[in-house]
Amino acid sequence: MRGIVLAGGSGTRLHPITLAVSKHLLPVSDKPMIYYPLATLMQAGIRDILIITTPHDRPQFERLLGDGAELGLRLSFAEQAAPNGLAEAFVIGEDFIGSDKVALVLGDNVFHGQALDETLALSTRDVDGCVLFGYRVPNPERFGVGETDLEGRLVSLEEKPVRPRSDRAITGLYLYDNRVVEVAKNLRPSVRGELEITDVNRWYLERGAARLVDLGEGVAWLDTGTPESLLKAGQYVRTMEELQKVRIACLEEIALRMGFITPDECLRLGRRMANSAYGRHVLSVATDEAFRRELVSV
């Protein structure tokens, strides 16, 4: 499976902060926002990743992330010249996707939780259609909403309904089989002039090929698209890291845990950032893992 991070748009809800820098490069606690969706894809075992951003912001992303090789990834970059809708990601990424399945994650979404790894592993194992991820919210009228029947089957999808049939918001993480490329290419723009992701999802739903996975109480989902939600996400990450003694969305640590890189490679990455708390964490993780492997081999 391949992965796409959609990190375009102008971030108007965050003006004036985003007049000079992409919102996806803004800090969420001590890491750039883009680290969080990348971490989600990596936790799902995905190593081939396309980052779609604006022509203006692309050089900054390339400078930050490079080709991904140091993390055991294969990163590519593409441009979305105008905010023409989330589903345009599959049109832009057609050659990148090829004949593979694909995961799409929005660049301003943060997913975290002890149950996340297992949920992603199970959900990506056999994607035959469309897999959506639901999260219970107190204000579903602000989101796309999924309704399920008594057996848990997805029966309806609504976009920002006035009277929601469910409290399950559709989060910014989507899994699709390869049909999604042709589905997106044949969409008609909505009244907003955009290729809507909800129309893609409805196509699968009408064919009985869409299912909703409830993220449950063991996973947190945060949107960072407004000043208030950006601050809230940063506070959440800082609090959880202090309480649980972990480092959320540490790409080097995830790459090491997933077997994308070796402890020595992780150690080298940590040394380059040793003056920061983040870099010292990477060094500690690499050292501990090297020691653990040495004990196992004895």
Side-chain angles (χ1 to χ4, degrees):
M1 176 174 282
R2 295 182 173 240
I4 297 177
V5 179
L6 188 53
S10 54
T12 54
R13 292 185 296 168
L14 284 163
H15 282 178
I17 304 171
T18 49
L19 289 174
V21 63
S22 166
K23 74 173 180 179
H24 305 97
L25 295 173
L26 295 176
V28 178
S29 188
D30 62 343
K31 294 168 287 291
M33 188 186 297
I34 191 72
Y35 272 38
Y36 295 87
L38 278 174
T40 300
L41 294 179
M42 291 170 67
Q43 286 172 264
I46 297 172
R47 303 176 72 169
D48 289 283
I49 299 172
L50 175 68
I51 297 172
I52 299 177
T53 185
T54 67
H56 176 267
D57 294 322
R58 177 173 176 169
Q60 295 173 299
F61 283 97
E62 291 178 326
R63 186 163 59 250
L64 173 67
L65 300 169
D67 63 4
E70 290 184 333
L71 294 170
L73 306 177
R74 292 172 288 273
L75 297 182
S76 306
F77 298 87
E79 298 169 4
Q80 185 181 40
N84 296 322
L86 305 186
E88 191 182 34
F90 306 112
V91 180
I92 295 170
E94 178 179 8
D95 291 341
F96 167 79
I97 297 168
S99 59
D100 214 335
K101 300 173 183 179
V102 62
L104 173 67
V105 62
L106 304 188
D108 61 0
N109 276 217
V110 175
F111 296 88
H112 171 255
Q114 293 183 345
L116 185 60
D117 284 6
E118 182 179 359
T119 299
L120 292 174
L122 291 173
S123 301
T124 57
R125 187 172 298 167
D126 184 24
V127 178
D128 183 17
C130 161
V131 180
L132 308 175
F133 294 88
Y135 192 84
R136 294 184 183 275
V137 295
N139 49 352
E141 65 278 358
R142 291 182 50 212
F143 305 94
V145 174
E147 178 193 12
T148 57
D149 62 17
L150 294 177
E151 282 72 43
R153 292 187 295 262
L154 186 64
V155 294
S156 76
L157 290 167
E158 300 177 286
E159 185 64 30
K160 298 181 180 178
V162 176
R163 295 181 179 83
R165 299 177 183 176
S166 162
D167 63 352
R168 287 185 177 89
I170 303 299
T171 69
L173 176 63
Y174 317 85
L175 310 178
Y176 298 97
D177 63 20
N178 195 254
R179 290 178 290 175
V180 72
V181 174
E182 289 303 316
V183 173
K185 287 168 65 176
N186 287 287
L187 284 182
R188 292 183 179 180
S190 66
V191 293
R192 298 193 302 169
E194 297 185 5
L195 301 182
E196 304 286 357
I197 198 72
T198 300
D199 290 339
V200 172
N201 298 336
R202 284 199 184 108
W203 186 93
Y204 280 97
L205 178 62
E206 290 166 0
R207 287 154 182 81
R211 62 187 177 97
L212 184 66
V213 174
D214 196 339
L215 288 178
E217 296 181 359
V219 176
W221 169 57
L222 302 100
D223 181 341
T224 58
T226 67
E228 296 78 15
S229 60
L230 179 62
L231 178 61
K232 181 180 178 181
Q235 291 171 333
Y236 169 86
V237 169
R238 182 179 179 87
T239 299
M240 295 304 293
E241 288 184 342
E242 289 179 349
L243 288 175
Q244 298 182 353
K245 308 302 181 186
V246 298
R247 184 71 61 166
I248 298 172
C250 177
L251 302 186
E252 295 81 3
E253 181 176 9
I254 296 170
L256 178 61
R257 187 176 76 237
M258 297 297 296
F260 298 170
I261 60 176
T262 66
D264 284 345
E265 290 169 328
C266 189
L267 197 64
R268 285 196 292 272
L269 294 174
R271 284 173 179 156
R272 292 199 319 213
M273 300 178 286
N275 285 335
S276 69
Y278 181 93
R280 289 191 291 274
H281 176 78
V282 174
L283 283 172
S284 175
V285 166
T287 302
D288 289 349
E289 180 61 17
F291 182 68
R292 187 193 69 80
R293 294 187 186 188
E294 184 176 336
L295 287 178
V296 171
S297 64
V298 172

